[in-house]
Amino acid sequence: MESVLSPATLAELRRPRPYPAVSVLTPTHRRDPYNAQDQVRLRTMVAEAKRQLEADPAVTRERRAEVAGHLDRALTEVDLTHAEDGLAIFAAPGEHQVWSLARSVPERVVLSDTFLTRNLVSAQTAGRPFWVLSLAADRVTLWNGGVDRVAAARLGGFPLTRRVENFDPERQQRIGDTPSAFREERTRQFLREADTAMSAVLRDHPRQLYVTGEPAALSLLDEVGGTARSAVHIPHGGLAHGTPEVVWQAVRPVVEAEARRSTDAVTRALETARGRREFAAGVDELWQSARDGRVRLLAVEENYRVTVRDAGDHLILAETGDLDSREDIVDEIVEQCLETGADVRFVPDGTLGAADGMAGVLRY
């Protein structure tokens, strides 16, 4: 299952496909007892997708069979033991993909000439993704971080490893001193290679970077490259060989402090916008402003969801399951704001007070 969404990957997902491009969305659960029915729900949604393929006169028999086959293969690739909060299956002639999402999605089947990506975009943004680069003299490990966990990331050549020799045994025997591995030229070259590899990862997957290691390792990485200079340093050794849980516990206080600072900055920006009459709130006003490209900063409470219907020139509240209801309008607004260059921040529930779950700073 896929989970790291890069700009290049998103562009590829959004390109037009031969009809039908099928998107199947379903909520999932991380823990018992709520995840007991996830497999049944997923199979039901895939069966619904096949039913829609069968009923669509624009889909030929051959293409129907091909896309249905890709849906079946996608099902075999789903690993619900590592489920997050949502799942997306994309299938089209010649391809299929499975995406795990750290944000709940509505149950939905869509047949179109493109895949439905807005839930992926919103989940990625809400997850506040970051990288952790953990340094040691013999290993550099990259971790993919989110709201409440990290996991080993195997991209960009990471983890990088090398064999470390006994640097100077005669000197060690003579004066009882063990020279630091981080003063050794081969270590300098090793960290230079790590810096180059990390730079490439950040070009393809830009996000906040935290670097962990002994103080000598952090200092050396600053000397030999430029990646870590804009990163947050965490002087904690041993994490290059650590487990995800150990790494998460080490970086968690710093990550949470950064999140609090970000939330404080958002609330100050919203207050300033009120005084300048650049403030907008509520799903209807922000939907209009997002479509006009007027939103500069969008703040969304983490669990804010609302179902609406489009009344033409505005949105009205609706019940889930109503005809023409839109259950993922929040994700749609998030994606639209990102498309027009807005800064989108997810903040803890209750942060926005009377703004009813969503507020923004307008450009004009």
Side-chain angles (χ1 to χ4, degrees):
M1 296 192 296
E2 304 286 344
S3 60
V4 179
L5 184 66
S6 70
T9 302
L10 180 59
E12 167 61 20
L13 285 172
R14 284 174 167 169
R15 70 171 174 81
R17 260 77 179 175
Y19 188 84
V22 181
S23 302
V24 179
L25 303 177
T26 182
T28 53
H29 303 85
R30 303 183 187 220
R31 298 176 182 86
D32 291 329
Y34 307 103
N35 58 7
Q37 295 299 313
D38 284 352
Q39 185 69 49
V40 174
R41 182 183 294 110
L42 178 58
R43 290 188 177 279
T44 300
M45 294 302 293
V46 170
E48 171 61 19
K50 290 181 179 179
R51 187 196 67 76
Q52 292 190 26
L53 286 171
E54 186 74 30
D56 192 334
V59 182
T60 64
R61 177 180 299 178
E62 293 78 10
R63 185 153 287 182
R64 182 186 309 127
E66 182 182 3
V67 175
H70 279 289
L71 287 169
D72 288 336
R73 286 191 285 277
L75 262 182
T76 67
E77 297 172 12
V78 173
D79 182 5
L80 289 175
T81 60
H82 296 98
E84 296 182 279
D85 301 307
L87 191 74
I89 291 177
F90 299 136
E95 63 177 318
H96 66 271
Q97 296 186 39
V98 179
W99 285 83
S100 177
L101 311 180
R103 180 169 165 83
S104 186
V105 297
E107 287 190 342
R108 199 166 181 195
V109 173
V110 177
L111 274 61
S112 183
D113 57 358
T114 59
F115 293 137
L116 185 66
T117 60
R118 60 174 171 259
N119 304 100
L120 268 69
V121 173
S122 184
Q124 181 84 353
T125 307
R128 296 191 293 271
F130 59 87
W131 298 119
V132 180
L133 191 68
S134 295
L135 310 177
D138 62 341
R139 182 181 178 90
V140 178
T141 304
L142 182 64
W143 308 92
N144 177 26
V147 171
D148 60 358
R149 71 181 73 179
V150 301
R154 298 189 177 275
L155 75 162
F158 290 102
L160 302 179
T161 60
R162 73 177 185 114
R163 183 180 177 185
V164 177
E165 304 291 345
N166 191 355
F167 295 101
D168 191 347
E170 292 182 4
R171 180 174 185 271
Q172 182 178 344
Q173 184 178 27
R174 185 171 62 251
I175 65 175
D177 175 41
T178 304
S180 169
F182 298 105
R183 295 200 300 268
E184 205 263 342
E185 180 56 36
R186 284 172 295 179
T187 305
R188 293 177 65 88
Q189 179 58 35
F190 180 57
L191 292 192
R192 189 176 291 115
E193 292 170 1
D195 178 82
T196 300
M198 192 67 231
S199 296
V201 170
L202 289 172
R203 279 197 301 272
D204 293 338
H205 306 273
R207 57 175 72 171
Q208 174 69 61
L209 173 64
Y210 299 88
V211 182
T212 75
E214 299 174 19
L218 298 175
S219 177
L220 180 56
L221 187 66
D222 274 349
E223 284 183 35
V224 300
T227 297
R229 292 172 191 166
S230 60
V232 177
H233 287 198
I234 302 176
H236 190 304
L239 300 182
H241 296 274
T243 63
E245 180 60 25
V246 169
V247 175
W248 170 240
Q249 293 305 325
V251 304
R252 179 178 181 176
V254 181
V255 171
E256 291 181 347
E258 289 289 313
R260 287 192 296 270
R261 282 192 286 271
S262 174
T263 298
D264 290 344
V266 168
T267 55
R268 288 194 300 271
L270 292 172
E271 285 302 314
T272 300
R274 284 181 186 273
R276 296 177 177 173
R277 297 187 179 180
E278 297 172 350
F279 179 83
V283 65
D284 188 40
E285 184 178 4
L286 285 166
W287 178 65
Q288 297 280 0
S289 298
R291 291 196 303 172
D292 295 338
R294 295 181 60 206
V295 181
R296 178 165 59 86
L297 168 67
L298 179 71
V300 185
E301 292 186 350
E302 289 167 347
N303 293 300
Y304 178 57
R305 290 287 187 185
V306 64
T307 300
V308 300
R309 284 191 292 111
D310 188 348
D313 58 347
H314 67 283
L315 302 176
I316 58 175
L317 294 179
E319 297 293 330
T320 299
D322 283 358
L323 186 64
D324 297 328
S325 66
R326 296 159 72 169
E327 297 178 48
D328 55 356
I329 188 65
V330 173
D331 289 357
E332 186 174 337
I333 292 170
V334 167
E335 184 184 48
Q336 183 63 45
C337 287
L338 289 169
E339 282 288 291
T340 55
D343 182 12
V344 177
R345 308 280 189 93
F346 281 81
V347 298
D349 293 347
T351 299
L352 303 180
D356 192 25
M358 181 181 276
V361 179
L362 301 181
R363 291 190 171 101
Y364 56 89

